[in-house]
Amino acid sequence: MASSLTKDSASAAHERTFLGHPVGLATLFMTEMWERFSYYGMRALLVLYLVSGGADAATGSQGGGLAFTAATATAIYSVYVAMVYLMAMPGGWFGDRVWGARKTVAIAGGVIMAGHVALAVPGQIAFFVGLLLVAFGSGLLKANISTMVGHLYKGLDDSRRDSGFTIFYIGINVGAFAAPLAIGTVGETVNWHLGFLLAAIGMGVGLAVYLLAARTLNPESSVVPNPLSPAERKAVIVKVLAVLAAVAVFYTAVAVAGMFTIKWALYPITIAGLLIPVAVLVRIKRDKDLSTGEQSKMSAYIWFFVAAAVFWMIYDQGGSTVSLFGDKSSQRSLLGWEVPTVVFQSLNPLFVVALAPVFAALWVALGRRNREPSTIVKFSAALALVGFSFLIFAVPLHQTAGSDTKVTMWWLVLIFLVQTIAELCLSPVGLSVTTKMAPQKYSSQMMGVWFLAVTAGDCVTGLLSLADVTMDGVGVIVFQAVAAVAAGLAIYMYRKKVNTLMGELN
C-alpha cells in the first residue's frame, strides 16, 4: 500500500507544470546551470593556474600555480576540453545500458564534485586526478541530462519541446556567464584553490537540487533502455580491465626507465582523440544495415563534421591562447578597476544570450521570404567568421610581439563577439542537422558523434602545442585563420555536391 502511495505521489509530482512546462524542467535547469557554473568557472582558471609560478607553489597561495610553459598549459587545456566531449559517448552508453539517465546524472554530479575538491588541494597529483574526474563526470552528465529534458515531453510533436530546450539552453549560458565572474575572479585575485573549491560547492548545490527534486522527473528517465545481458556485462568488464592493465604496464615501464614526462601522458590521449572520431565515422559509414539514402546523408555529414572540427580548433582557444595573451599583453583598466583576465570568459555566454534571439528571429524572418541561408551557407559563414576573428587577433599580436607593449582590452571583446556570431551560425545548426541526418540505427548515438568534432578540433591544438609550436605566434594565428576561411570556401564551393548527398534535407 505504501509503495502504491509513493508511486502515485511521484507520478503526481512529475505531471505538475510550471509556466506551462513540466516542473521537472526547473529541476534540470537548475542542475545544469550549477554544473556549467562549476565547469566554466574551473575552465576559466585552468590555463592561468597552469602557467602561474612562484616560490609559494607548495602552499597553494596566490601566485603559486604549477609553473608549466604556455605550450604545455595549452596542450593540457586542449586535451581536457577534448576529453569532456569524448566522454559524452561512453556517458550515453552508461545511461542507455547500465544505470539509466537519472542514476547516471546523479553519479556524474558526485564525480564532478569530487574532481573539483581534488583540484582544491595543492599539488600536481591532486590536480591531475581532479582533472580526470571532472572530465569523466562531465561526459557522463552531458550525454544524459539533455535526454532527460526530452523525457519530460509527450512525444516528438509536443509543441512545448523546442521551447523547453531553449529554456534549458539559457540555464547553460547563465551558469557559464556567472562562473568566471565568481569562481574565476576569486581564483585569479585571491587564491587558485579557493576558486576550485567554489566550483565544487557550485556542483554540490546543483546535485542537492537534483536529488531533492528527483520526484519531478519523468519515471522514464530511471529506465535502462537497453540493459546489458550478463554475458555482455562480463565481456565489457574483461575488456576494460585488460585495457587498464595494458596502460598500467606501459606507464610503469616508462616510469622505471626514467623517461616519464607530461608529454608521455598527453600524446597518447591526444592521438586517441583524433583516431576515435575517425574510427566512429568509418564504422557508421561502412555499416551494411544503412540504406542507400542513409549512406548518402552520412557522406554529406562528414563534410559538416570536418568543418566543425576546424571551427572548434580555433574557437576553443578563447580559453587558452587568447586568455594567455589577454593576461600578459592587454591593458585591462576600466574606470580605475583592473579587470581580471577571467572576466573575459563571461563575454561569450553574455553575447549568446543577447544575440541568440536575434538570430532565431532573423532565420524565421528570412524563412518567410524563402531566403533563409542553407545549412551549408551557415557553416561556411561560421568558418569564415571564426577565421576572421583570428585575423583580428593577429593585429594586437603583431603590435606586442617581442616587446612589453600592452594593447587595449577591447581587442579581446571584439574577438569574442565575432566568435560568438560564428558560433550561432554553426552550433545550433550543427545540432539540428545531426538529428536530421542521423541513420535510424544510430539516432541516439549521433549527438555523441557531433561532440566528437569538438574532441578532434581540440586535439589538433593539443598536438601543435605538444610539438612546441608557438600558438600565439602571428604566423601560426594567421595560418589557422586562413585554414578556417579556406575550409569555409571549400564547403561553399562544393555545396551542390553536398546538397545532392543530403537528399530531401537540403
Side-chain angles (χ1 to χ4, degrees), residues 112-125:
I112 293 168
M113 187 168 64
H116 287 303
V117 170
L119 291 170
V121 178
Q124 283 195 31
I125 294 178

Side-chain angles (χ1 to χ4, degrees), residues 109-143:
V111 171
I112 293 168
M113 187 168 64
H116 287 303
V117 170
L119 291 170
V121 178
Q124 283 195 31
I125 294 178
F127 172 80
F128 284 109
V129 168
L131 216 56
L132 286 171
L133 289 173
V134 174
F136 183 67
S138 296
L140 285 176
L141 188 142
K142 191 173 187 67

Side-chain angles (χ1 to χ4, degrees), residues 85-118:
Y85 287 91
L86 179 62
M87 289 298 164
M89 286 205 74
W93 182 86
F94 270 99
D96 285 343
R97 309 216 61 189
V98 183
W99 293 323
R102 183 185 296 188
K103 185 176 180 180
T104 303
V105 168
I107 292 172
V111 171
I112 293 168
M113 187 168 64
H116 287 303
V117 170

Side-chain angles (χ1 to χ4, degrees), residues 46-177:
L46 186 55
V47 168
L48 300 178
Y49 171 69
L50 287 168
V51 300
S52 176
D56 53 351
T59 67
S61 59
Q62 189 56 22
L66 297 183
F68 284 116
T69 64
T72 301
T74 299
I76 293 172
Y77 171 90
S78 300
V79 169
Y80 164 70
V81 175
M83 290 305 101
V84 168
Y85 287 91
L86 179 62
M87 289 298 164
M89 286 205 74
W93 182 86
F94 270 99
D96 285 343
R97 309 216 61 189
V98 183
W99 293 323
R102 183 185 296 188
K103 185 176 180 180
T104 303
V105 168
I107 292 172
V111 171
I112 293 168
M113 187 168 64
H116 287 303
V117 170
L119 291 170
V121 178
Q124 283 195 31
I125 294 178
F127 172 80
F128 284 109
V129 168
L131 216 56
L132 286 171
L133 289 173
V134 174
F136 183 67
S138 296
L140 285 176
L141 188 142
K142 191 173 187 67
N144 289 281
I145 196 165
S146 295
T147 300
M148 294 172 68
V149 174
H151 289 163
L152 296 173
Y153 298 94
K154 298 177 181 178
L156 296 176
D157 57 348
D158 190 323
S159 60
R160 302 171 299 169
R161 176 180 288 268
D162 286 352
S163 175
F165 272 99
T166 300
I167 294 170
F168 181 71
Y169 189 65
I170 291 172
I172 294 174
N173 284 284
V174 169
F177 169 72

Side-chain angles (χ1 to χ4, degrees), residues 243-318:
V243 171
L244 292 176
V247 171
V249 169
F250 174 77
Y251 280 108
T252 298
V254 172
V256 169
M259 299 169 58
F260 184 82
T261 65
I262 188 65
K263 289 186 177 182
W264 274 98
L266 295 178
Y267 262 126
I269 298 174
T270 308
I271 294 170
L274 285 172
L275 294 180
I276 290 173
V278 173
V280 170
L281 287 171
V282 169
R283 178 173 64 87
I284 295 175
K285 187 70 179 68
R286 296 179 63 182
D287 192 331
K288 295 181 180 179
D289 290 340
L290 269 59
S291 67
T292 302
E294 289 176 329
Q295 286 281 2
S296 179
K297 289 182 178 67
M298 280 305 302
S299 296
Y301 187 76
I302 290 172
W303 283 81
F304 295 114
F305 184 93
V306 173
V310 174
F311 175 87
W312 295 116
M313 176 188 72
I314 292 178
Y315 179 90
D316 276 346
Q317 289 183 61

